[in-house]
Amino acid sequence: VNGVQSFQLSFAVDQVMDGMVDTWVDASRQIDAGELAGVRLGLTLVSDDRVTATGDGRLRQTFECDIARRTRS
């Protein structure tokens, strides 16, 4: 997609099943569905136009969103 420099997806893992996130892992890693506590989405957008004289001149904005899993079985 034009303007998207980076898209990251991570899983929140609850390894001891106490309702608390123990660690975050890259989404490419296989985890047990019962350990999945949520997901984190990360997105970095970059401008098409050069607007500054430093670096490559493009503006960047990063957004992150954590989404908790509502129910577990």
Side-chain angles (χ1 to χ4, degrees):
V1 176
N2 191 27
V4 176
Q5 183 175 33
S6 174
F7 175 77
Q8 302 292 318
L9 182 64
S10 301
F11 295 139
V13 180
D14 178 5
Q15 296 170 321
V16 296
M17 308 305 274
D18 62 356
M20 303 294 290
V21 174
D22 298 309
T23 189
W24 289 90
V25 297
D26 186 79
S28 64
R29 185 170 153 198
Q30 185 175 357
I31 64 168
D32 181 76
E35 295 179 339
L36 179 66
V39 295
R40 175 177 286 161
L41 304 173
L43 186 67
T44 300
L45 304 178
V46 62
S47 66
D48 290 331
D49 300 327
R50 295 179 190 276
V51 295
T52 67
T54 59
D56 67 0
R58 293 185 168 95
L59 297 176
R60 288 173 176 76
Q61 179 77 42
T62 299
F63 300 91
E64 282 191 356
C65 179
D66 294 341
I67 304 165
R69 183 175 173 184
R70 290 184 85 183
T71 59
R72 294 191 198 169
S73 53

